[in-house]
Every structure is written in C-alpha cells, then in structure tokens.
Amino acid sequence: MRGIRPTRRATALGSAGALVTATLIAGAMAAPSAAADSRHGQDREARGAAIAAARAAKAGIDWKDCPADWGLAKAVQCGWVTVPVDYAHPDGKHIKLAVDRVGNTGTKQERQGALIYNPGGPGGSGLRFPLRITTNNPLWTNVAKAYDFVGFDPRGVGHSAPISCEDPQEFVKAPKADPVPDSEADKRAQRKLAHEYAQGCLDRTGRTMLQQMTTPNTARDLDVIRAALGEKKINYLGVSYGTYLGAVYGTLFPGHVRRMIVDSVVNPSREKIWYQANLDQDVAFEGRWKDWEDWVAANDATFHLGTTRDAVQAKWLQLRATAKKNPIGGVVGPAELISFFQSAPYYDSSWVPVATVFSKYVAGDTQALVDAAAPDLSDTAGNIASENGNAVYTAVECTDAKWPTSWQKWDRDNTRLNKGYPFMTWANAWMNLPCATWPVKQQSPLNVKTGKGLPTVLIVQSTRDAATPFDGAVELHKRFKGSRLIIEKDAGSHGVTGLVNPCINSRVDTYLLTGKTDKADVTCTPHATPKP
C-alpha cells in the first residue's frame, strides 16, 4: 500500500485484489461450502502458478538493451516474462511483464542472487531500482556487490499490459472540485464521479483483466519472475504497498523466500484491507502534517510562515480558502493544493520544497505554486503514467477486498473523521469511493501467516509514518514468526531504507549480506531532520 498517493487526483492508500470463482467439483452430490469452494479456487491458482513458473524457468529471460524511450541507462538490461492473466486457467490469455536488471558489481564468488524490488502503489513501477547501482547510490554499494538488482512493472503497470480507467488528459485536468463537501449536492456530485470512474475502469480495461488485478496474482507473477531469473528462492525488498505484496508472497510461497525486507508496512489484517486501512491513514496523515507545521514554525526565519503550528495552519487555511474562491492561476484549487502539500507529511525530502513554495506564495509569488501544483497538459507521457498509476491503484485496491456498498456508512465514517483529521479525510474517501460500486467481483483478503520454510523477515518502520501507520509493522511482526523489527523512533518519513540512518543502514546491509539479524528487535534514533 502506498498511502495517499501524490497524484493529480485526490489520493489514498495502497491496496489490492480479485477473486476467481471456483469451479464446482464434477459429479459432486452437493454443492461445496463457500470455504471449500474458495479453497478449490486457490488450489487451481496454485497449480496454475506452478505451471507458469515451470514454463518461465525453461524460457528464461532474453536480456537486451532497454528501449530508448524507457529512460534507463545503457548498463541496465531489459526483458519480458510471460504470465497468465488468470492463474486458474494457465493455458488461457497471457500478458508480458517488463523486467530489468543490473548485475552484481562484485565477483562471481560474491554473488548471492537477485534482489527484486517493489516500490509500492499499487501502481508503482520498480524499473528504476537497478539505477541504484548505475548511479553508485552509497547506501546500496555493499549490497550491490552481492546482488543483481532487479525491477519490474507489475501487471497493469507501465509497460506490463497497462490498464486505464479514464482519458489521461481528462484525468489531470484542473481545477477539480474541493474534496471537502459543503452540501449534500457536493457529495452527490462526487459519488457520481466515483461511479463513472469505476465504470470507466471496466470499459477501458475489460472485465477479464480487471477481475485479475489482485495482490495474490501479482505475488504469483513475482514467483514466475523468480523462476525466469533461474533463482530457486527470492530475495525481496518491498516498500509501502510492496510490503503487502511481500506479505502475500511470503504466505503463498514461504519456501521460495531466501531473504525479505519490508519497509513502511501495510497492516495485513483482513479487517484492515482496505477500507479501514484508509481511515487509519487519515488519522496518521493529520499527525505528520502537524509535525511538518511544527518544523516550518521552528524555521520561521527562513520561511516566514509563523512561529507556531497554529500560525502556519492559519496560513494554510487562508490559502485553501483563497484557492476555493478563485483557483490560483485559474487551475490550482483545494484539490490541487492537497495533492501537492500532502507530499510533506509523506516524505521528509519534501519538507523544504513544499515550505519554500508556500513561503514564496505568501510573499507574493503565485507562479511558483502554479508551477508546482498545476497539471502540465503538454506532458502527455507523464499524464498517461499518472492515469495508469491511479487506475492500477484503484483496480487492485477495489478488487482485493470487499468494500462497504452503503453510502450511509462512507458518509458517517468520513464525516466523523473529518472533524478531527481534516487534512486528508475527504480527499482519501473520494479516491477510494469507486470501490463502493466496483463492477467486478471483490475478493476476500488472504490470511497472511507464517508457512513452512519462511526465513527470518526483516521489518523496518518509523513510528510516525503517515501512509502506513506503525501498527501495520506490529501486526506483520506478529504474523511472521521469527521476524525482526527495526523501529525508527520519532520519525515519520515513508520509506526508511532509502534514508541515511547508520543504525538502520548497517543492519540492512548485514541482513542482506549474511542473513543475520539482532537477537531482539531494535529501536533506532531518527534520521537527521531536513535543513532549510
């Protein structure tokens, strides 16, 4: 789960899934129970995954220079892995998944296999992961000696049979309606948009593909990629929604895991996937938003936005009201403001850029805000990618789990939450509302648990993460027996392993290089606070 995604559209949490109806056993005297029916479907999918993996192992990957328009350095090699759309029917329709790699930088003797990465989403592309080697990223120098770095576009994403729910230029068009409703008419308008978006997913993607856009299927795809790479076991790094993908993979294929790091963890509880997880996220975003406002206030000498959190919040509310009355530059209204400003509670790396744009606006420079927050209609490739990412996010999130269909429940829950946690609540609700009228059958989430052969999994989590609240790491820690938890206390940036914190970086290196972890869970002090 990615958490509220900074996109052109209002945003939310990462999520996933879809259900294949199990076939009744021929000649059965009575229909099986729902539980038995579901198990039979899972058995068929497990057999289909094994068939697909065996075929991929035989075919391998024909590595070549990447297509020029993919924007990947010459040292990166690209290839394709074929997977069935529906694992219950492995001889049915197939799609090709885009994969890439850079080989390990050490000797043949130092090589420990492939390290496969997923950055989150659903809807995120992992193809840029090998660039951590080509750009000599210092955090990954030691690990690069031992591992090939492998990225991939999950099903439906980017170059892997991309799906769509809306015309990309319409998707990014601004200004959009204020996510915070003033009236029942506003809510009805948003409900209509959500229903139309859900129908657009069906119309533009097709029922066959949309039904199979699930986390379990992506996990099966991951195992086929493993086989195509010629690896008996996977080494895996998943961030945000990538942690849920890892949790599902570890449950379905525990004996195929060699080493696994999950960073900024989605709560894998079936009660949380995905409706409740989004509500939890609204609360966490409010807390991290206040952390950012405190930091802005402490650096008032630079930003001149107020010396207290309340003063900074007052300027935010004033900006919001101004944009609601007259969209800034004709294109930046409250929805666009939230899409831009949410990156600050999301990532510490956005603290300075967001505060700088805000400061410039208050000082009279409106163009900086327009440049930062408004869509670029001329960037057709970027807009296609944004729309595709949002389509995958929605498709996986809505198909993975059963969502409330009662508008009264959505209205009641979000009205209540908005009173105490207004920053993201309604924006998040509208992004996910297509799931209430989803046009294909919704799955029941997998029961994430420890299976035979699952090794020690390393879990990394900051305590004040907005997109994936801390309780998610605690829950996965309980479910994956023998796992180890590294806690970054009093920090909240999303994606901990990408930050400089020697307490964490050294343990990540040790685990990936030796398999060793501390004998008990570890609490680290926070990484350095951004400097203006």
Side-chain angles (χ1 to χ4, degrees):
M1 139 188 162
R2 163 178 354 200
I4 297 181
R5 297 195 314 115
T7 66
R8 304 298 190 195
R9 195 167 186 259
T11 60
L13 172 84
S15 8
L19 175 101
V20 178
T21 304
T23 305
L24 297 180
I25 299 173
M29 295 298 293
S33 68
D37 191 49
S38 176
R39 281 197 303 273
H40 181 55
Q42 290 171 4
D43 288 345
R44 293 176 64 204
E45 289 167 334
R47 285 196 296 272
I51 291 168
R55 290 171 177 166
K58 186 176 180 180
I61 301 174
D62 183 15
W63 295 110
K64 295 180 178 178
D65 289 343
C66 300
D69 61 349
W70 287 19
L72 298 168
K74 190 77 169 177
V76 182
Q77 294 180 303
C78 290
W80 301 94
V81 174
T82 300
V83 299
V85 172
D86 179 355
Y87 278 93
H89 300 96
D91 294 320
K93 185 179 179 181
H94 287 73
I95 56 174
K96 291 183 181 296
L97 305 181
V99 294
D100 68 347
R101 72 169 183 184
V102 167
N104 73 303
T105 61
T107 64
K108 188 176 181 180
Q109 290 71 30
E110 287 177 293
R111 185 180 181 276
Q112 295 192 39
L115 177 62
I116 308 177
Y117 175 74
N118 181 272
S125 168
L127 291 181
R128 296 187 64 80
F129 178 60
L131 300 183
R132 296 188 187 185
I133 291 182
T134 63
T135 59
N136 298 311
N137 186 312
L139 292 182
W140 299 95
T141 301
N142 294 329
V143 173
K145 292 178 183 177
Y147 291 96
D148 305 342
F149 279 23
V150 176
F152 71 105
D153 275 351
R155 60 171 53 206
V157 175
H159 305 293
S160 296
I163 69 167
S164 174
C165 294
E166 185 178 2
D167 177 81
Q169 295 299 95
E170 286 296 315
F171 173 76
V172 303
K173 191 180 289 185
K176 300 192 185 302
D178 184 351
V180 179
D182 290 326
S183 64
E184 289 302 313
D186 288 348
K187 294 177 182 178
R188 284 194 297 271
Q190 291 282 10
R191 290 172 65 191
K192 182 173 183 287
L193 288 173
H195 179 72
E196 290 171 350
Y197 187 81
Q199 187 61 41
C201 293
L202 181 64
D203 294 343
R204 294 174 70 93
T205 296
R207 184 175 299 277
T208 300
M209 184 67 173
L210 196 62
Q211 181 68 79
Q212 303 302 327
M213 288 295 298
T214 72
T215 302
N217 276 341
T218 303
R220 295 176 186 112
D221 293 345
L222 186 57
D223 200 59
V224 177
I225 292 171
R226 170 201 60 77
L229 290 167
E231 303 287 345
K232 287 192 167 71
K233 296 190 175 186
I234 191 176
N235 303 287
Y236 178 78
L237 170 61
V239 181
S240 193
Y241 165 78
T243 67
Y244 185 59
L245 176 58
V248 170
Y249 183 87
T251 300
L252 292 176
F253 304 99
H256 293 181
V257 179
R258 179 176 180 266
R259 286 172 197 158
M260 178 180 286
I261 297 179
V262 287
D263 170 4
S264 305
V265 180
V266 171
N267 193 319
S269 165
R270 286 188 286 186
E271 288 69 39
K272 298 288 188 179
I273 304 295
W274 287 103
Y275 179 75
Q276 185 59 46
N278 276 279
L279 300 179
D280 294 346
Q281 196 182 45
D282 298 337
V283 175
F285 258 92
E286 195 74 30
R288 194 59 179 163
W289 171 250
K290 290 176 179 176
D291 290 348
W292 177 73
E293 289 183 320
D294 287 338
W295 174 86
V296 171
N299 289 283
D300 184 62
T302 299
F303 301 116
H304 312 293
L305 293 168
T307 58
T308 65
R309 177 199 298 170
D310 287 347
V312 177
Q313 176 71 1
K315 282 199 168 55
W316 158 251
L317 293 176
Q318 183 181 357
L319 169 60
R320 203 184 180 291
T322 299
K324 183 180 178 72
K325 187 175 181 181
N326 291 299
I328 298 159
V331 286
V332 177
E336 290 70 37
L337 288 177
I338 291 172
S339 274
F340 172 64
F341 275 83
Q342 72 177 0
S343 62
Y346 207 101
Y347 299 114
D348 286 10
S349 59
S350 292
W351 281 19
V352 173
V354 172
T356 299
V357 169
F358 194 7
S359 178
K360 286 181 177 179
Y361 170 81
V362 170
D365 178 1
T366 60
Q367 192 59 44
L369 182 57
V370 172
D371 291 344
D376 179 1
L377 293 177
S378 69
D379 181 16
T380 53
N383 297 337
I384 289 170
S386 292
E387 191 280 326
N388 168 243
N390 198 84
V392 175
Y393 167 88
T394 308
V396 175
E397 176 175 289
C398 295
T399 316
D400 248 7
K402 294 174 175 64
W403 287 72
T405 57
S406 163
W407 165 245
Q408 286 72 27
K409 178 171 176 57
W410 286 77
D411 194 17
R412 182 175 62 249
D413 289 347
N414 287 283
T415 298
R416 172 182 54 82
L417 263 186
N418 186 65
K419 290 176 182 175
Y421 312 96
F423 179 68
M424 277 308 310
T425 295
W426 278 114
N428 208 354
W430 303 130
M431 171 144 181
N432 291 290
L433 191 60
C435 300
T437 57
W438 197 236
V440 300
K441 193 168 184 179
Q442 295 174 321
Q443 280 198 358
S444 296
L446 190 71
N447 181 29
V448 169
K449 60 183 179 180
T450 307
K452 184 179 179 181
L454 186 72
T456 299
V457 172
L458 188 63
I459 302 170
V460 188
Q461 179 76 36
S462 62
T463 57
R464 296 189 61 76
D465 189 325
T468 51
F470 181 72
D471 287 351
V474 175
E475 182 68 22
L476 184 59
H477 192 21
K478 290 177 187 173
R479 288 170 179 263
F480 274 178
K481 298 191 184 333
S483 59
R484 283 286 174 266
L485 175 60
I486 300 175
I487 301 167
E488 190 181 27
K489 191 176 181 182
D490 299 327
S493 195
H494 192 59
V496 180
T497 53
L499 303 173
V500 176
N501 187 332
C503 176
I504 296 169
N505 306 142
S506 62
R507 287 175 166 85
V508 167
D509 276 4
T510 297
Y511 172 75
L512 287 174
L513 295 174
T514 70
K516 294 179 180 177
T517 62
D518 293 87
K519 293 181 179 178
D521 296 340
V522 174
T523 299
C524 295
T525 54
H527 62 273
T529 302
K531 289 183 170 56

